[in-house]
Amino acid sequence: MSQPKSSFSRLAYGDPGPADAGLSLGVVVLLVVGALVVAVAFVRMSDALLDMGLLGTGVFLAIGARICQARNQHQALHRLIERSLQRR
């Protein structure tokens, strides 16, 4: 089988690619921007809102972890589909 041609849209919007290929460019950019927003918000937060800030930071980390987990599950599903198509 021939390999599909690489393009910016496949890179930015998520090409399943080979196993352990990492996150797509779009996801990495969004996680970096989100981390910057969380850092700036945490620095500018008053003492009264510190508890809510810690809770928000925890939610942000949980969402980031879920994104990484979904990427691994997506790659595993993609590999299973490829195997089933090769058997036909």
Side-chain angles (χ1 to χ4, degrees):
M1 262 196 225
S2 64
Q3 293 292 332
K5 191 173 183 182
S6 177
S7 69
F8 177 74
S9 63
R10 289 179 66 90
L11 174 70
Y13 298 119
D15 175 21
D20 300 327
L23 298 173
S24 67
L25 179 63
V27 172
V28 172
V29 168
L30 288 175
L31 285 174
V32 168
V33 169
L36 289 173
V37 169
V38 166
V40 168
F42 203 81
V43 168
R44 294 184 47 90
M45 186 178 315
S46 67
D47 289 341
L49 295 175
L50 189 59
D51 293 338
M52 292 302 294
L54 289 175
L55 182 65
T57 303
V59 169
F60 175 77
L61 293 174
I63 291 170
R66 179 62 187 118
I67 289 170
C68 294
Q69 181 188 28
R71 173 71 176 171
N72 291 338
Q73 291 171 346
H74 177 74
Q75 285 178 335
L77 179 63
H78 184 74
R79 285 191 298 273
L80 286 173
I81 290 172
E82 277 186 356
R83 281 189 215 143
S84 71
L85 290 177
Q86 288 175 355
R87 290 180 188 164
R88 291 183 180 195

